[in-house]
Amino acid sequence: MGEAEPTTTTMYYDPQIDVHHRLPVRAALTTAFYVAPQRADEARRLFDAACRSARLDLDLDLPLIAGRGIPSSLLLAREWGMTDLEERLAAAVEASYEPTWDHDRGEFTWGMGLNEEYPRGQFNAFLAAAEACGPQRWTTLSAAPLQRCPQVVDVDFPRVALRQAEWAGSTLKLGLAPLHENPTQTTMFRIVGSEAGPWRITGPESATVTQTDHGLVVDTPLVTAKIELAPAAVA
C-alpha cells in the first residue's frame, strides 16, 4: 500500500479477471474489519484514513445514518483500544440506533431508525459483534479455534435465556433470565464436556444438578437467578 494515505479500498476482488472493485476510502470503516486479523498494520492504516474521511475524528452528527460503517467502527475501536473513539461511537449508537428489548420474544435488537418489521440483519450483526468485542478479541478469534471447554446446551430459549455463562476457574457462573418468571415451574438444561464426578450447585433453593451419561443436568425454578456449578471437591 505504500506510505501515502489510502484514498480507496477494495470492496470486492475478482481473481478470475484480476479486477478490484474499489470504493472511496470511507468504505474501509467496514473493509478494515476483514483485513484486521490478517494484516493488522494495513487494516489500521485503512481505518485511520477512513475515520478522517468520514469525520469520525470530529464531533459526530446525530442522528447517525443507518449502515454497517458505524457498527464496524465501534467494533474496531474496541479491538484496538481506541477509547476516545469507542466512547463517542457508543454514545452516538445509543442515541441514534434504537436499542430495543422485545420482551415477548426475548430478543435485543437495534431498529436503526428504519421503521422495518424485522431488524436489518447485517447492521445488527455488526452491532452485536461490537457488544462482544474487546482488545484483540477479533484477532484472537480469527487466529485459532476456540479453546475447547464444557458447553451449556438445551436451554429452553426463548422461554428462558442466559444473561451470563462463563467459567471462573473450575466454577461455571450462569445468569438465568426467564421470559416470564414462574416459581411454580422449572426449566432444565445440560452441561456437556464437564469432568466426571459429583458436582454441587448454588442458586435457587430447589435447584439440582445430576451427573448422567449425557452430561450434567440442571433442574431449576423458572426465576431470575444467579447459579454457580463446581466439582464437589472444589471448596
Side-chain angles (χ1 to χ4, degrees), residues 33-57:
F33 165 79
Y34 301 104
V35 181
Q38 305 170 66
R39 295 288 299 276
D41 54 344
E42 298 290 7
R44 182 62 187 267
R45 288 185 67 240
L46 277 170
F47 184 68
D48 287 345
C51 286
R52 286 187 285 272
S53 175
R55 301 174 66 84
L56 297 190
D57 53 338

Side-chain angles (χ1 to χ4, degrees), residues 48-214:
D48 287 345
C51 286
R52 286 187 285 272
S53 175
R55 301 174 66 84
L56 297 190
D57 53 338
L58 305 175
D59 290 339
L60 301 175
D61 292 329
L62 300 181
L64 299 173
I65 297 173
R68 294 181 298 173
I70 295 297
S72 56
S73 296
L74 178 57
L75 187 156
L76 289 173
R78 288 174 169 159
E79 170 78 7
W80 288 323
M82 302 170 70
T83 306
D84 175 68
L85 179 59
E86 174 196 350
E87 291 176 351
R88 291 188 295 107
L89 288 174
V93 165
E94 186 74 16
S96 303
Y97 282 170
E98 302 175 336
T100 304
W101 271 109
D102 184 332
H103 293 286
D104 291 333
R105 297 170 62 92
E107 294 179 350
F108 180 82
T109 55
W110 292 265
M112 311 290 290
L114 296 173
N115 196 31
E116 296 176 338
E117 181 178 2
Y118 300 104
R120 189 71 64 91
Q122 285 195 21
F123 301 169
N124 271 255
F126 270 112
L127 283 167
E131 286 293 306
C133 199
Q136 296 301 306
R137 288 184 182 177
W138 173 224
T139 299
T140 301
L141 179 63
S142 303
L146 293 174
Q147 184 176 358
R148 293 183 63 85
C149 67
Q151 301 291 316
V152 182
V153 300
D154 295 343
V155 176
D156 187 16
F157 183 85
R159 183 168 175 255
V160 65
L162 295 176
R163 292 187 183 274
Q164 178 188 24
E166 63 176 326
W167 288 92
S170 57
T171 298
L172 176 59
K173 297 185 175 185
L174 303 173
L176 201 67
L179 187 57
H180 302 292
E181 287 191 291
N182 188 337
T184 67
Q185 298 180 359
T186 64
T187 187
M188 299 175 68
F189 51 87
R190 295 185 298 128
I191 294 95
V192 296
S194 59
E195 65 179 67
W199 283 64
R200 59 179 174 81
I201 185 170
T202 58
E205 186 175 351
S206 58
T208 62
V209 58
T210 306
Q211 179 80 56
T212 74
D213 292 339
H214 303 289

